[in-house]
Amino acid sequence: MNIVVLVKQVPDTESPRKLKSDDSTLDRAAADGVINELDEYAIEEALKIKEAHGGEVTVLTMGPAKATDSIRKALAMGADKAVHLVDDGLAGSDALQTSYAIQQALGRTGFDIVILGSESTDARTGVLAAMLSERLGVPQITLANKVEIDGSAIKAQRVTDYGYDRVEATLPAVVSVVEKINEPRYPSFKGIMAAKKKPVETLGLGDAGIDAAQVGLANAATEVVDFADAPARAQGQIVTDEGDGGAKIAEFLASKKFV
Amino acid sequence: MSFIETEERRALRAAVAELGAKYGSSYYVEKARSGQKTDELWAEAGRLGYLGVNVPEEYGGGGGGIGDLAAVCEELAAAGCPLLLMVVSPAICATIIARSGTEGQREHWLPRFADGSVKMAFAITEPDAGSNAHRITTTARRDGDGWVLSGQKTFISGVDEADAVLFVARTEDQKGNLRPSLFIVPTGAEGFTHTPIDMEIVSPEKQFICHLDDVRLPYDALVGDEDGGLLQLFAGLNPERIMASAMGAGIGRLALGKAVDYAKDRQVFKAPIGAHQGVAHPLAAAKIELELARLMGQKAAWLYDGGDDMGAGEAANMAKYATAEAAIHCVDQAIQTHGGNGLTTEYGVGMLAGVVRLMRIAPVSREMILNFVAQHSLGLPKSY
């Protein structure tokens, strides 16, 4: 089984995140880079599939040179090798362009299954899985909280507002996962020591067969027109219990879809 | 020469810090206050190989050094979980067995140190032989094919959760200066009892008095030579100091981090209190002391892992001294920054005071380190 897991490096969610004033793109230098949290679940699921069915897990990352740290962590968790798509021409690419660039890179790695987190904590578009499956012409299973592989069939539970759907597709396929699917492992000491020896292939635009005119900020289909700092957190709502406190809590939780 | 740790060491720190954050101060304090042990954290860290990073690879360990183990200890402490038995079990005991043990002892113990599935306590201090190890009276006498051990030890950490204790004794025909013999005694051995000492320290690991009343042991309970002497003992004591230094550094970071968070947030007059130099400067000074001490700890580990036991001895002593002082200052200033909150249970700062204060005393006292430096580093006359 050729399993490719897409890993994005994002600014640490614990540090303040900023857009740059000159081109409205994310200031990646301003904060420490970490693996996008949902991608850690994707890595874990990829490793579990490999452990159950054999094969090889390849990490595919598109991002600047400093994304190497995140690639090493994914390898330390147990992935076998990595492909790092890195080129200044990719900077500022939007979701549509990113899906194109990743499609091209997947042309080099091949795949039976592509796994990714259902969204990133920085851009939060949550559309990459859909765009990618459209470009690749393979089925998409999004928001999966359970995945089973049975021969060439993939069965999954897909989270919905009302519970979950059971869906099934034929491999190859693209699968995006949510945090309920598993508990990502920590890299073991041996994993950390082994990670440095694992192959990381670095691809530029030309290596991956990416047309420079279709990627990058200048060619993006979307544009950030304006942005502002997030408003300071407002004072919480105080509910006085007049015998209906429980009902009010339940009402609040239901309005936020927690229950 | 580089003062920056390797990529792998930094990745190890990041991974351990993440594991530590999953448990955190609240887990540690709850275990300590309810008389439980940090078993879940110990087991998980063990499974991930973090507790056996320094055990040789051929015995299932990580094949790294004491510098790696110190990094694990520091990061867990900085996350609020200082695991005292890391200083003892993998650092002292595993090191001594790896360096001086027989092949049989290595095969038996090291794979279990590697995954943390065994804990071994270490017993050297006696009621009348603390800083003066030459007065140790715990005695081993030959008895047929084996040994019989008698004596008393005090301030022994974690005996209640250990599978065995590594005892420092002397053979019966030895008089005068100590030529130590080391014995592995299972905690269930007949004639071996332990009694807890009530301590004013918030910690899941307890302190014990141990009594050995004619405890019979097989011949291979002896580690290394009968009077293999101080070298095999010191093989374990340098790592002990390096680890104590790392644990102090972690607690110092924890306290300083809490103080900084509080100082940024707490507002009494017009600005957060951290904007006042009376608050900021002592925290900055504590930060400088802490970083200098950490650097000496890393140097000691680097020398030790490079095989320079003598050089490591001086650096390990200096690191242990400096980190204890820095950690005390960090905690003291963190309490002061928090005002009354600094001594509440809720803020978790005041409860660190006991443990960092202990670090000025154990595993070797501030005064004995100053004696060592005065005599060996400066060449002054021996004072005792």
Side-chain angles (χ1 to χ4, degrees):
Chain A
M1 180 95 52
N2 183 358
I3 308 156
V4 178
V5 57
L6 304 188
V7 174
K8 184 181 188 183
Q9 187 180 59
V10 296
D12 192 343
T13 44
E14 307 229 331
S15 56
R17 286 163 286 174
K18 292 190 181 102
L19 297 185
K20 290 188 285 186
S21 54
D22 54 348
D23 64 1
S24 302
T25 61
L26 185 65
D27 188 351
R28 293 184 189 277
D32 285 341
V34 298
I35 293 181
N36 176 47
E37 193 185 341
L38 284 172
D39 294 349
E40 294 206 2
Y41 295 83
I43 296 164
E44 177 65 32
E45 202 57 26
L47 295 172
K48 281 186 159 170
I49 292 172
K50 177 194 158 173
E51 282 157 9
H53 302 279
E56 198 172 45
V57 174
T58 304
V59 173
L60 173 55
T61 291
M62 170 171 145
K66 80 180 237 190
T68 311
D69 291 347
S70 294
I71 291 172
R72 287 283 170 221
K73 183 177 178 191
L75 294 172
M77 287 171 75
D80 298 289
K81 59 191 173 67
V83 174
H84 187 181
L85 195 51
V86 50
D87 197 301
D88 288 345
L90 291 164
S93 292
D94 63 11
L96 200 60
Q97 295 168 307
T98 300
S99 65
Y100 161 68
I102 288 175
Q103 175 199 12
Q104 295 302 104
L106 285 168
R108 282 181 63 96
T109 61
F111 65 94
D112 293 312
I113 179 166
V114 177
I115 308 184
L116 66 157
S118 58
E119 64 177 40
S120 59
T121 53
D122 53 357
R124 301 200 62 186
T125 60
V127 294
L128 188 64
M131 288 177 169
L132 197 55
S133 66
E134 188 66 24
R135 287 191 186 276
L136 295 167
V138 300
Q140 57 163 320
I141 292 176
T142 53
L143 302 171
N145 71 0
K146 191 176 176 188
V147 170
E148 265 175 66
I149 310 267
D150 184 5
S152 64
I154 174 165
K155 298 173 185 171
Q157 279 182 192
R158 183 179 183 279
V159 176
T160 65
D161 285 349
Y162 45 83
Y164 58 83
D165 289 331
R166 283 206 185 87
V167 294
E168 195 173 329
T170 307
L171 295 177
V174 173
V175 180
S176 78
V177 303
V178 297
E179 75 283 358
K180 290 193 188 85
I181 194 166
N182 57 42
E183 191 180 340
R185 67 194 67 186
Y186 296 94
S188 70
F189 183 63
K190 285 179 187 175
I192 290 167
M193 298 308 282
K196 204 173 182 179
K197 299 184 191 88
K198 291 179 175 175
V200 179
E201 189 186 8
T202 303
L203 299 181
L205 293 184
D207 306 317
I210 294 169
D211 176 3
Q214 290 191 51
V215 291
L217 185 64
N219 307 311
T222 57
E223 185 189 355
V224 175
V225 179
D226 196 12
F227 63 88
D229 289 339
R233 190 174 295 178
Q235 174 95 36
Q237 186 190 345
I238 295 168
V239 178
T240 314
D241 183 14
E242 291 163 346
D244 58 351
K248 285 199 169 143
I249 288 171
E251 210 172 273
F252 170 80
L253 291 174
S255 76
K256 302 291 180 194
K257 290 184 174 158
F258 285 118
V259 293
Chain B
M1 182 173 184
S2 171
F3 290 99
I4 308 294
E5 290 184 315
T6 61
E7 195 182 312
E8 287 90 345
R9 178 75 59 78
R10 281 177 282 150
L12 173 65
R13 284 185 183 276
V16 175
E18 217 175 302
L19 176 70
K22 175 176 147 186
Y23 290 88
S25 288
S26 54
Y27 166 82
Y28 181 87
V29 173
E30 190 193 317
K31 293 287 176 185
R33 295 208 193 273
S34 62
Q36 298 178 66
K37 307 298 175 193
T38 51
D39 289 339
E40 300 84 0
L41 172 55
W42 183 277
E44 188 163 8
R47 275 198 302 277
L48 290 164
Y50 300 161
L51 302 179
V53 289
N54 61 320
V55 173
E57 264 181 310
E58 60 264 42
Y59 299 101
I66 205 70
D68 295 304
L69 193 67
V72 172
C73 186
E74 181 187 329
E75 294 304 324
L76 288 177
C81 299
L83 299 185
L84 180 60
L85 281 188
M86 276 196 74
V87 179
V88 180
S89 189
I92 305 177
C93 297
T95 298
I96 288 176
I97 291 172
R99 286 180 60 154
S100 309
T102 64
E103 191 47 43
Q105 288 163 344
R106 288 184 194 145
E107 278 172 12
H108 181 73
W109 293 104
L110 294 181
R112 298 196 278 156
F113 283 119
D115 65 8
S117 58
V118 78
K119 286 179 193 163
M120 193 181 286
F122 178 73
I124 179 167
T125 303
E126 296 183 2
D128 295 316
S131 294
N132 188 357
H134 292 301
R135 294 179 64 183
I136 280 177
T137 58
T138 295
T139 305
R141 64 169 203 273
R142 287 300 302 270
D143 177 55
D145 289 344
W147 300 95
V148 174
L149 240 65
S150 292
Q152 187 183 346
K153 298 283 182 182
T154 189
F155 293 119
I156 310 308
S157 307
V159 180
D160 57 336
E161 50 185 312
D163 301 271
V165 181
L166 186 60
F167 276 90
V168 181
R170 62 168 78 220
T171 47
E172 62 181 334
D173 49 349
Q174 261 192 50
K175 303 290 174 226
N177 277 357
L178 180 68
R179 283 175 292 142
S181 322
L182 302 169
F183 292 90
I184 299 171
V185 182
T187 39
E190 202 180 330
F192 175 16
T193 53
H194 60 276
T195 313
I197 306 168
D198 290 334
M199 303 288 290
E200 296 294 329
I201 290 170
V202 181
S203 165
E205 295 93 347
K206 304 298 176 203
Q207 300 292 314
F208 294 87
I209 295 170
C210 296
H211 291 276
L212 297 167
D213 186 10
D214 284 342
V215 175
R216 285 178 185 280
L217 299 168
Y219 184 80
D220 65 1
L222 173 71
V223 178
D225 300 332
E226 265 178 51
D227 51 2
L230 291 168
L231 278 182
Q232 65 189 30
L233 178 57
F234 285 162
L237 295 188
N238 278 336
E240 175 187 50
R241 278 152 212 198
I242 292 167
M243 291 293 284
S245 168
M247 201 167 122
I251 297 173
R253 282 169 55 194
L254 174 68
L256 209 49
K258 283 175 184 278
V260 167
D261 287 347
Y262 190 83
K264 281 180 181 167
D265 197 48
R266 170 77 174 155
Q267 196 164 334
V268 180
F269 299 100
K270 286 179 197 151
I273 58 170
H276 306 311
Q277 291 179 340
V279 173
H281 283 183
L283 291 175
K287 169 73 173 168
I288 292 170
E289 280 183 52
L290 186 63
E291 290 302 322
L292 290 172
R294 289 182 73 216
L295 200 54
M296 186 56 91
Q298 289 174 10
K299 176 181 173 179
W302 185 77
L303 287 169
Y304 181 84
D305 289 331
D308 182 357
D309 283 354
M310 290 310 288
E314 181 187 53
N317 271 311
M318 289 181 172
K320 192 265 150 191
Y321 171 95
T323 319
E325 297 305 311
I328 287 169
H329 295 165
C330 287
V331 171
D332 187 59
Q333 199 52 44
I335 292 172
Q336 196 66 19
T337 302
H338 280 77
N341 284 333
L343 289 171
T344 60
T345 303
E346 180 188 353
Y347 280 82
V349 182
M351 64 114 186
L352 299 172
V355 69
V356 293
R357 188 61 186 74
L358 173 66
M359 288 181 167
R360 194 182 267 160
I361 301 165
V364 54
S365 72
R366 172 180 62 181
E367 289 68 26
M368 286 309 287
I369 292 177
L370 293 173
N371 283 337
F372 176 94
V373 172
Q375 187 188 340
H376 296 285
S377 306
L378 299 179
L380 291 167
K382 188 173 177 178
S383 61
Y384 56 96

